[in-house]
Protein backbone atom coordinates (compact mmCIF):
# COMPACT_ATOMS: atom_id res chain seq x y z
CA UNK A 1 0.00 0.00 0.00
CA UNK A 2 0.97 3.65 -0.25
CA UNK A 3 1.45 4.55 3.41
CA UNK A 4 2.00 7.79 5.28
CA UNK A 5 3.98 5.96 7.94
CA UNK A 6 5.37 2.46 8.33
CA UNK A 7 4.17 2.00 11.92
CA UNK A 8 1.46 3.96 13.71
CA UNK A 9 1.35 3.72 17.52
CA UNK A 10 -1.93 4.73 19.14
CA UNK A 11 -1.62 5.96 22.73
CA UNK A 12 1.27 7.64 24.56
CA UNK A 13 1.07 6.06 27.98
CA UNK A 14 3.74 3.72 29.32
CA UNK A 15 2.95 1.08 26.66
CA UNK A 16 3.02 3.44 23.70
CA UNK A 17 6.17 5.18 24.88
CA UNK A 18 7.95 1.86 25.46
CA UNK A 19 6.98 0.68 21.98
CA UNK A 20 8.19 3.98 20.51
CA UNK A 21 11.52 3.66 22.33
CA UNK A 22 12.08 0.16 21.01
CA UNK A 23 10.97 0.96 17.46
CA UNK A 24 13.27 3.97 17.42
CA UNK A 25 16.16 1.87 18.69
CA UNK A 26 15.54 -0.55 15.81
CA UNK A 27 15.45 2.28 13.27
CA UNK A 28 11.77 1.77 12.43
CA UNK A 29 9.91 4.82 11.18
CA UNK A 30 6.83 5.47 13.30
CA UNK A 31 4.46 8.09 14.70
CA UNK A 32 2.62 8.04 18.05
CA UNK A 33 -0.84 9.61 18.22
CA UNK A 34 -2.16 10.65 21.63
CA UNK A 35 -5.74 11.84 22.15
CA UNK A 36 -4.74 14.29 24.88
CA UNK A 37 -1.32 14.67 26.48
CA UNK A 38 1.39 12.13 27.16
CA UNK A 39 0.41 9.84 30.07
CA UNK A 40 -3.16 11.16 30.05
CA UNK A 41 -4.55 8.15 31.96
CA UNK A 42 -2.29 8.91 34.92
CA UNK A 43 -3.45 12.54 35.06
CA UNK A 44 -7.02 11.24 35.43
CA UNK A 45 -6.16 9.67 38.78
CA UNK A 46 -7.25 11.39 41.99
CA UNK A 47 -5.04 14.01 43.60
CA UNK A 48 -3.45 11.84 46.31
CA UNK A 49 -2.88 8.78 44.11
CA UNK A 50 0.34 6.81 44.64
CA UNK A 51 1.72 3.74 42.93
CA UNK A 52 0.98 0.50 44.76
CA UNK A 53 4.16 -1.16 43.52
CA UNK A 54 7.60 0.09 44.64
CA UNK A 55 9.35 2.64 42.46
CA UNK A 56 12.09 0.20 41.49
CA UNK A 57 9.51 -1.82 39.56
CA UNK A 58 9.26 1.01 37.00
CA UNK A 59 11.30 -0.79 34.34
CA UNK A 60 10.52 0.81 31.01
CA UNK A 61 13.28 0.28 28.41
CA UNK A 62 15.56 3.25 28.79
CA UNK A 63 13.17 4.71 31.36
CA UNK A 64 13.88 2.77 34.53
CA UNK A 65 13.41 4.48 37.89
CA UNK A 66 16.73 5.95 39.00
CA UNK A 67 15.58 8.13 41.89
CA UNK A 68 16.58 8.09 45.53
CA UNK A 69 13.56 6.16 46.85
CA UNK A 70 13.53 2.79 45.05
CA UNK A 71 11.33 1.30 47.78
CA UNK A 72 8.96 4.26 47.93
CA UNK A 73 5.76 4.86 45.96
CA UNK A 74 5.65 7.74 43.47
CA UNK A 75 2.72 10.11 43.65
CA UNK A 76 0.55 10.79 40.60
CA UNK A 77 2.39 13.91 39.50
CA UNK A 78 5.75 12.18 39.93
CA UNK A 79 4.61 9.36 37.64
CA UNK A 80 3.44 11.93 35.10
CA UNK A 81 6.78 13.73 35.24
CA UNK A 82 8.69 10.47 34.90
CA UNK A 83 6.79 9.42 31.78
CA UNK A 84 7.02 12.83 30.14
CA UNK A 85 10.73 13.01 30.84
CA UNK A 86 11.03 9.50 29.42
CA UNK A 87 9.37 10.63 26.17
CA UNK A 88 11.66 13.66 25.96
CA UNK A 89 14.76 11.54 26.60
CA UNK A 90 14.51 9.86 23.19
CA UNK A 91 12.51 12.56 21.41
CA UNK A 92 9.47 10.33 21.02
CA UNK A 93 7.57 11.28 17.84
CA UNK A 94 4.30 11.96 19.68
CA UNK A 95 1.51 14.08 18.25
CA UNK A 96 -0.56 15.17 21.24
CA UNK A 97 -4.19 16.20 20.97
CA UNK A 98 -4.86 13.90 18.02
CA UNK A 99 -7.41 11.23 18.95
CA UNK A 100 -8.06 8.27 16.66
CA UNK A 101 -11.81 8.01 16.14
CA UNK A 102 -11.78 4.93 13.91
CA UNK A 103 -9.35 2.36 12.57
CA UNK A 104 -10.13 0.40 9.40
CA UNK A 105 -8.30 -1.94 7.05
CA UNK A 106 -7.41 -0.47 3.69
CA UNK A 107 -5.29 -1.68 0.73
CA UNK A 108 -3.38 -4.27 2.71
CA UNK A 109 -2.75 -1.91 5.60
CA UNK A 110 -4.75 0.41 7.84
CA UNK A 111 -6.24 3.88 7.91
CA UNK A 112 -6.67 5.74 11.18
CA UNK A 113 -9.30 8.46 11.15
CA UNK A 114 -8.60 11.58 13.23
CA UNK A 115 -10.22 15.03 13.43
CA UNK A 116 -7.24 16.34 11.43
CA UNK A 117 -7.59 13.74 8.69
CA UNK A 118 -6.68 10.13 8.06
CA UNK A 119 -3.28 8.47 8.40
CA UNK A 120 -2.36 5.35 6.45
CA UNK A 121 0.01 2.82 8.00
CA UNK A 122 1.35 -0.62 7.18
CA UNK A 123 1.40 -1.61 10.85
CA UNK A 124 -0.56 -0.29 13.83
CA UNK A 125 0.24 -0.87 17.51
CA UNK A 126 -2.71 -0.16 19.80
CA UNK A 127 -1.52 0.99 23.24
CA UNK A 128 -4.70 2.48 24.68
CA UNK A 129 -4.40 1.02 28.17
CA UNK A 130 -5.36 -2.07 30.08
CA UNK A 131 -8.97 -1.02 30.53
CA UNK A 132 -10.57 1.99 28.89
CA UNK A 133 -14.11 2.24 30.27
CA UNK A 134 -15.41 2.47 33.85
CA UNK A 135 -17.92 -0.30 34.52
CA UNK A 136 -21.19 0.77 36.11
CA UNK A 137 -23.98 -1.65 37.00
CA UNK A 138 -27.30 -1.09 35.19
CA UNK A 139 -28.97 0.43 38.26
CA UNK A 140 -26.32 3.17 38.55
CA UNK A 141 -27.86 5.34 35.82
CA UNK A 142 -31.21 5.46 37.64
CA UNK A 143 -29.42 6.20 40.91
CA UNK A 144 -27.63 9.15 39.27
CA UNK A 145 -30.98 10.85 38.74
CA UNK A 146 -31.49 11.05 42.50
CA UNK A 147 -28.06 11.61 44.03
CA UNK A 148 -24.61 12.74 42.90
CA UNK A 149 -22.83 9.71 41.41
CA UNK A 150 -19.25 9.61 40.16
CA UNK A 151 -16.62 7.03 39.32
CA UNK A 152 -12.90 7.03 40.09
CA UNK A 153 -12.25 9.15 37.01
CA UNK A 154 -14.45 11.93 38.34
CA UNK A 155 -13.15 11.82 41.92
CA UNK A 156 -10.32 14.17 42.87
CA UNK A 157 -10.37 14.58 46.65
CA UNK A 158 -12.78 14.39 49.59
CA UNK A 159 -13.58 18.07 49.07
CA UNK A 160 -14.54 17.42 45.44
CA UNK A 161 -17.66 15.55 46.59
CA UNK A 162 -20.85 17.28 47.76
CA UNK A 163 -21.38 17.61 51.49
CA UNK A 164 -23.09 14.77 53.32
CA UNK A 165 -22.67 11.04 53.75
CA UNK A 166 -20.80 9.07 51.11
CA UNK A 167 -21.32 5.52 49.90
CA UNK A 168 -18.46 3.84 48.04
CA UNK A 169 -19.56 0.83 45.98
CA UNK A 170 -16.91 -1.63 44.89
CA UNK A 171 -14.69 -4.38 46.18
CA UNK A 172 -11.35 -3.66 44.55
CA UNK A 173 -8.21 -1.71 45.20
CA UNK A 174 -9.56 1.68 44.12
CA UNK A 175 -12.72 1.40 46.22
CA UNK A 176 -10.68 0.56 49.31
CA UNK A 177 -8.20 3.40 48.73
CA UNK A 178 -10.91 6.02 48.21
CA UNK A 179 -12.84 4.80 51.24
CA UNK A 180 -9.76 5.09 53.42
CA UNK A 181 -9.03 8.60 52.14
CA UNK A 182 -12.59 9.78 52.71
CA UNK A 183 -12.64 8.32 56.22
CA UNK A 184 -9.27 9.86 57.10
CA UNK A 185 -10.58 13.23 55.89
CA UNK A 186 -13.46 13.02 58.37
CA UNK A 187 -16.18 12.16 55.86
CA UNK A 188 -19.00 9.86 56.96
CA UNK A 189 -18.35 7.03 54.50
CA UNK A 190 -19.67 3.48 54.13
CA UNK A 191 -18.15 0.83 51.86
CA UNK A 192 -20.48 -1.61 50.10
CA UNK A 193 -17.82 -4.08 49.12
CA UNK A 194 -17.33 -7.17 47.02
CA UNK A 195 -14.67 -9.85 47.14
CA UNK A 196 -11.01 -9.17 46.39
CA UNK A 197 -7.68 -10.61 47.53
CA UNK A 198 -5.90 -8.96 50.44
CA UNK A 199 -2.15 -8.79 50.97
CA UNK A 200 0.24 -7.54 53.61
CA UNK A 201 2.16 -4.44 52.58
CA UNK A 202 5.38 -5.85 53.98
CA UNK A 203 6.55 -9.21 55.26
CA UNK A 204 9.60 -9.33 57.55
CA UNK A 205 10.32 -5.70 56.64
CA UNK A 206 10.39 -6.39 52.90
CA UNK A 207 7.74 -5.22 50.46
CA UNK A 208 5.39 -8.03 49.49
CA UNK A 209 5.71 -7.14 45.79
CA UNK A 210 9.39 -8.08 46.04
CA UNK A 211 8.53 -11.41 47.65
CA UNK A 212 5.94 -12.06 44.94
CA UNK A 213 8.39 -11.24 42.17
CA UNK A 214 10.88 -13.73 43.60
CA UNK A 215 8.12 -16.36 43.77
CA UNK A 216 7.37 -16.05 40.04
CA UNK A 217 3.93 -14.55 40.64
CA UNK A 218 4.26 -11.94 37.91
CA UNK A 219 5.42 -14.52 35.37
CA UNK A 220 2.11 -16.42 35.40
CA UNK A 221 0.46 -16.69 32.00
CA UNK A 222 -3.23 -16.76 31.15
CA UNK A 223 -2.85 -20.48 30.41
CA UNK A 224 -1.81 -20.99 34.04
CA UNK A 225 -5.11 -19.56 35.27
CA UNK A 226 -8.33 -21.56 35.72
CA UNK A 227 -10.33 -19.21 33.47
CA UNK A 228 -9.80 -16.24 31.11
CA UNK A 229 -12.22 -14.39 33.40
CA UNK A 230 -9.17 -13.67 35.57
CA UNK A 231 -8.75 -10.61 33.31
CA UNK A 232 -11.65 -9.06 35.22
CA UNK A 233 -10.48 -10.19 38.67
CA UNK A 234 -9.75 -7.54 41.30
CA UNK A 235 -6.14 -6.78 42.16
CA UNK A 236 -5.03 -7.40 45.76
CA UNK A 237 -6.04 -4.57 48.10
CA UNK A 238 -2.97 -2.42 48.61
CA UNK A 239 -1.91 1.21 48.93
CA UNK A 240 1.26 3.23 48.51
CA UNK A 241 -0.17 6.25 50.34
CA UNK A 242 1.73 7.52 53.39
CA UNK A 243 4.68 5.30 52.55
CA UNK A 244 2.55 2.20 52.10
CA UNK A 245 0.64 0.27 54.74
CA UNK A 246 -1.80 -2.63 55.06
CA UNK A 247 -5.20 -1.92 53.53
CA UNK A 248 -7.82 -4.63 53.88
CA UNK A 249 -11.47 -4.91 54.80
CA UNK A 250 -10.26 -5.69 58.31
CA UNK A 251 -8.10 -2.56 58.59
CA UNK A 252 -10.99 -0.43 57.30
CA UNK A 253 -13.38 -1.97 59.83
CA UNK A 254 -10.84 -1.48 62.63
CA UNK A 255 -10.59 2.20 61.68
CA UNK A 256 -14.35 2.53 62.09
CA UNK A 257 -15.56 2.33 58.49
CA UNK A 258 -19.03 0.68 58.27
CA UNK A 259 -19.04 -2.21 55.79
CA UNK A 260 -21.87 -3.93 53.97
CA UNK A 261 -22.21 -6.63 51.37
CA UNK A 262 -22.32 -6.08 47.62
CA UNK A 263 -24.98 -3.74 46.22
CA UNK A 264 -27.10 -5.61 43.68
CA UNK A 265 -29.81 -3.02 43.08
CA UNK A 266 -31.90 -0.14 44.36
CA UNK A 267 -35.47 -0.52 45.62
CA UNK A 268 -37.10 2.84 46.26
CA UNK A 269 -35.01 4.58 48.88
CA UNK A 270 -33.14 1.40 49.88
CA UNK A 271 -30.09 -0.32 48.45
CA UNK A 272 -30.53 -4.05 47.88
CA UNK A 273 -27.47 -5.69 49.39
CA UNK A 274 -26.25 -9.27 49.15
CA UNK A 275 -25.54 -11.15 52.39
CA UNK A 276 -21.95 -11.81 51.37
CA UNK A 277 -19.67 -9.64 53.52
CA UNK A 278 -18.40 -12.68 55.47
CA UNK A 279 -17.61 -14.46 52.20
CA UNK A 280 -15.76 -11.41 50.86
CA UNK A 281 -13.70 -11.14 54.04
CA UNK A 282 -12.89 -14.85 53.78
CA UNK A 283 -11.64 -14.41 50.21
CA UNK A 284 -9.35 -11.62 51.36
CA UNK A 285 -8.08 -13.58 54.36
CA UNK A 286 -7.30 -16.66 52.26
CA UNK A 287 -5.34 -14.62 49.71
CA UNK A 288 -3.46 -12.91 52.55
CA UNK A 289 -2.38 -16.30 53.89
CA UNK A 290 -1.48 -17.63 50.44
CA UNK A 291 0.68 -14.61 49.67
CA UNK A 292 2.38 -14.94 53.03
CA UNK A 293 2.94 -18.61 52.26
CA UNK A 294 4.54 -17.73 48.93
CA UNK A 295 6.93 -15.42 50.75
CA UNK A 296 7.72 -18.17 53.26
CA UNK A 297 8.52 -20.47 50.34
CA UNK A 298 10.90 -17.90 48.88
CA UNK A 299 12.60 -17.44 52.25
CA UNK A 300 13.06 -21.19 52.58
CA UNK A 301 14.43 -21.55 49.04
CA UNK A 302 16.93 -18.72 49.63
CA UNK A 303 18.05 -20.06 53.00
CA UNK A 304 16.67 -17.02 54.83
CA UNK A 305 15.29 -17.16 58.37
CA UNK A 306 11.90 -18.86 58.50
CA UNK A 307 8.97 -16.48 58.44
CA UNK A 308 6.51 -16.63 61.33
CA UNK A 309 2.86 -17.26 60.49
CA UNK A 310 0.80 -14.15 59.68
CA UNK A 311 -0.88 -12.39 62.58
CA UNK A 312 -4.35 -12.31 61.05
CA UNK A 313 -7.46 -11.82 63.15
CA UNK A 314 -10.20 -14.32 62.20
CA UNK A 315 -12.99 -12.52 64.03
CA UNK A 316 -16.13 -12.01 61.93
CA UNK A 317 -16.89 -8.46 60.84
CA UNK A 318 -20.26 -6.88 61.45
CA UNK A 319 -22.25 -6.31 58.27
CA UNK A 320 -24.36 -3.20 58.22
CA UNK A 321 -26.72 -1.59 55.73
CA UNK A 322 -25.80 1.31 53.45
CA UNK A 323 -27.54 4.61 54.18
CA UNK A 324 -30.78 5.31 52.36
CA UNK A 325 -30.44 7.05 49.02
CA UNK A 326 -32.10 10.17 50.46
CA UNK A 327 -29.51 10.27 53.26
CA UNK A 328 -26.53 10.45 50.91
CA UNK A 329 -24.62 13.40 49.54
CA UNK A 330 -22.63 11.32 47.06
CA UNK A 331 -22.06 7.81 45.73
CA UNK A 332 -18.72 6.69 44.30
CA UNK A 333 -19.12 3.67 42.00
CA UNK A 334 -15.75 1.90 41.71
CA UNK A 335 -16.75 -1.41 40.13
CA UNK A 336 -13.78 -1.93 37.88
CA UNK A 337 -13.15 -1.34 34.19
CA UNK A 338 -13.93 -2.95 30.86
CA UNK A 339 -12.12 -2.92 27.51
CA UNK A 340 -13.42 -0.60 24.80
CA UNK A 341 -12.24 -1.36 21.28
CA UNK A 342 -15.41 -0.41 19.39
CA UNK A 343 -13.51 2.27 17.46
CA UNK A 344 -11.54 -0.48 15.67
CA UNK A 345 -13.85 -1.28 12.74
CA UNK A 346 -12.56 -4.77 11.97
CA UNK A 347 -14.98 -7.72 12.17
CA UNK A 348 -14.34 -10.63 14.52
CA UNK A 349 -11.46 -8.82 16.19
CA UNK A 350 -12.55 -9.51 19.78
CA UNK A 351 -13.28 -12.54 21.92
CA UNK A 352 -16.52 -12.95 23.86
CA UNK A 353 -15.09 -10.92 26.78
CA UNK A 354 -14.25 -7.94 24.59
CA UNK A 355 -10.48 -8.44 24.32
CA UNK A 356 -8.59 -8.71 21.00
CA UNK A 357 -7.73 -12.26 19.93
CA UNK A 358 -3.96 -12.27 19.44
CA UNK A 359 -0.75 -14.27 19.36
CA UNK A 360 1.92 -12.53 21.41
CA UNK A 361 0.30 -9.18 20.74
CA UNK A 362 -0.25 -9.76 17.00
CA UNK A 363 -3.90 -9.78 15.95
CA UNK A 364 -5.12 -13.11 14.62
CA UNK A 365 -7.83 -11.43 12.57
CA UNK A 366 -5.80 -8.56 11.11
CA UNK A 367 -2.07 -9.21 10.53
CA UNK A 368 -0.18 -5.98 10.92
CA UNK A 369 -2.32 -4.94 13.87
CA UNK A 370 -0.62 -5.27 17.25
CA UNK A 371 -1.51 -4.69 20.90
CA UNK A 372 0.69 -3.79 23.89
CA UNK A 373 -0.41 -2.97 27.43
CA UNK A 374 -3.31 -5.43 27.50
CA UNK A 375 -3.95 -7.53 30.62
CA UNK A 376 -2.24 -10.90 30.38
CA UNK A 377 -0.82 -10.15 26.91
CA UNK A 378 2.05 -12.48 27.73
CA UNK A 379 2.16 -12.59 31.54
CA UNK A 380 0.39 -11.27 34.62
CA UNK A 381 2.75 -8.29 34.60
CA UNK A 382 1.96 -7.27 31.00
CA UNK A 383 -0.01 -4.06 31.72
CA UNK A 384 2.19 -3.02 34.66
CA UNK A 385 5.20 -0.74 34.76
CA UNK A 386 7.23 -3.79 35.78
CA UNK A 387 6.38 -5.77 32.66
CA UNK A 388 4.99 -3.65 29.82
CA UNK A 389 8.50 -2.88 28.58
CA UNK A 390 9.22 -6.55 27.92
CA UNK A 391 6.10 -6.88 25.77
CA UNK A 392 6.92 -3.63 23.96
CA UNK A 393 10.40 -4.89 23.14
CA UNK A 394 9.08 -8.23 21.89
CA UNK A 395 6.47 -6.63 19.61
CA UNK A 396 8.94 -4.06 18.29
CA UNK A 397 11.41 -6.82 17.41
CA UNK A 398 8.75 -8.72 15.50
CA UNK A 399 7.71 -5.62 13.58
CA UNK A 400 11.32 -4.74 12.78
CA UNK A 401 12.02 -8.21 11.38
Amino acid sequence: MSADVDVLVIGAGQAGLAVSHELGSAGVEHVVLEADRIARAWSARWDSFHLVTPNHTVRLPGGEYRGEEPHGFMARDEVLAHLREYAASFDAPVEEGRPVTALVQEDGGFRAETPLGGIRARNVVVCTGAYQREHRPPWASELAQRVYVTGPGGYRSPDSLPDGRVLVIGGGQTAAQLTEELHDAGRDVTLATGSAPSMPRRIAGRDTVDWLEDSGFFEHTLADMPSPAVRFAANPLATGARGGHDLTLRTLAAAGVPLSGRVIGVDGDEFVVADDLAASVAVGDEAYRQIWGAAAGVADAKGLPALPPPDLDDAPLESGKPPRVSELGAVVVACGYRPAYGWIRIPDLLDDMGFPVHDGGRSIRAPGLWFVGMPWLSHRKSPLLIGVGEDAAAVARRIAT
Side-chain angles (χ1 to χ4, degrees), residues 124-125 357-364 369-372 374 377-378 395 398:
V124 174
V125 189
V357 181
H358 68 93
D359 174 20
R362 181 176 183 266
S363 171
I364 299 296
L369 179 60
W370 306 79
F371 296 87
V372 174
M374 277 174 44
L377 186 85
S378 63
V395 165
R398 293 177 69 183

Side-chain angles (χ1 to χ4, degrees), residues 171-206:
Q173 200 174 90
T174 297
Q177 290 179 8
L178 298 187
T179 298
E180 182 179 58
E181 174 170 283
L182 288 162
H183 176 75
D184 290 349
R187 297 297 297 262
D188 184 346
V189 59
T190 298
L191 174 61
T193 189
S195 63
S198 294
M199 65 175 246
R201 179 70 272 179
R202 296 176 182 86
I203 299 174
R206 186 178 187 228

Side-chain angles (χ1 to χ4, degrees), residues 6 38 61 75 93 97 106 114 144 163 183 263 276 308 329 337 367:
D6 187 22
I38 289 172
E106 180 180 86
T114 82
D163 293 339
H183 176 75
V263 171
D276 60 357
Y337 295 82

Side-chain angles (χ1 to χ4, degrees), residues 10-386:
I10 301 175
Q14 64 259 29
L17 294 177
V19 168
S20 179
H21 181 278
E22 296 302 275
L23 289 173
S25 297
V28 177
E29 175 205 9
H30 68 284
V31 170
V32 184
L33 298 188
E34 167 53 49
D36 194 303
R37 292 191 62 200
I38 289 172
R40 173 179 60 93
W42 291 96
S43 65
R45 306 280 186 165
W46 59 96
D47 294 347
S48 67
F49 174 88
H50 285 71
L51 292 178
V52 297
T53 53
N55 294 334
H56 71 80
T57 64
V58 178
R59 299 175 190 170
L60 301 174
E64 300 83 357
Y65 178 82
R66 298 185 179 91
E68 298 179 354
E69 298 184 12
H71 300 290
F73 306 90
M74 281 192 285
R76 177 197 64 188
D77 291 349
E78 293 174 309
V79 178
L80 282 169
H82 182 89
L83 291 175
R84 289 170 181 166
E85 290 168 7
Y86 176 48
S89 72
F90 62 93
D91 197 20
V94 179
E95 295 186 20
E96 294 182 311
R98 195 166 183 187
V100 174
T101 56
L103 182 69
V104 299
Q105 290 178 298
E106 180 180 86
D107 297 334
F110 303 89
R111 186 180 77 252
E113 300 292 351
T114 82
L116 299 179
I119 296 180
R120 297 167 299 169
R122 294 184 181 88
N123 294 272
V124 174
V125 189
V126 176
C127 303
T128 52
Y131 302 97
Q132 302 91 17
R133 175 174 56 86
E134 289 183 359
H135 173 64
R136 293 198 182 183
W139 44 261
S141 57
E142 177 187 347
L143 181 65
Q145 299 176 22
R146 304 167 58 192
V147 65
Y148 178 83
V149 176
T150 189
Y155 174 86
R156 287 293 174 268
S157 68
D159 291 340
S160 70
L161 298 181
D163 293 339
R165 302 175 74 178
V166 181
L167 175 66
V168 178
I169 299 174
Q173 200 174 90
T174 297
Q177 290 179 8
L178 298 187
T179 298
E180 182 179 58
E181 174 170 283
L182 288 162
H183 176 75
D184 290 349
R187 297 297 297 262
D188 184 346
V189 59
T190 298
L191 174 61
T193 189
S195 63
S198 294
M199 65 175 246
R201 179 70 272 179
R202 296 176 182 86
I203 299 174
R206 186 178 187 228
D207 198 277
T208 299
V209 170
D210 297 332
W211 289 108
L212 288 174
E213 184 177 17
D214 287 348
S215 75
F217 177 81
F218 295 107
E219 304 302 322
H220 293 161
T221 69
L222 193 58
D224 297 326
M225 299 294 105
S227 165
V230 70
R231 291 176 291 182
F232 291 141
N235 290 319
L237 303 189
T239 180
R242 305 197 308 274
H245 54 272
D246 277 16
L247 176 62
T248 69
L249 295 182
R250 292 192 178 280
T251 64
L252 289 172
V257 175
L259 304 176
S260 81
R262 179 172 46 93
V263 171
I264 56 178
V266 181
D267 182 11
D269 201 33
E270 302 276 353
F271 287 94
V272 182
V273 177
D275 183 18
D276 60 357
L277 178 62
S280 295
V281 173
V283 167
D285 288 351
E286 178 59 22
Y288 194 103
R289 293 188 180 93
Q290 288 181 355
I291 290 171
W292 194 286
V298 170
D300 182 62
K302 290 179 173 288
L304 301 174
L307 298 181
D311 182 17
L312 187 62
D313 184 3
D314 287 334
L317 299 183
E318 181 180 352
S319 179
K321 290 185 64 177
R324 294 174 179 268
V325 175
S326 59
E327 297 172 338
L328 290 168
V331 176
V332 181
V333 179
C335 293
Y337 295 82
R338 296 293 184 267
Y341 294 103
W343 55 275
I344 305 180
R345 310 289 171 76
I346 298 175
D348 304 321
L349 182 77
L350 310 176
D351 63 20
D352 58 3
M353 299 182 72
F355 293 96
V357 181
H358 68 93
D359 174 20
R362 181 176 183 266
S363 171
I364 299 296
R365 174 64 180 83
L369 179 60
W370 306 79
F371 296 87
V372 174
M374 277 174 44
W376 297 90
L377 186 85
S378 63
H379 299 87
R380 185 191 295 271
K381 64 185 178 182
S382 284
L384 307 177
L385 289 163
I386 192 175

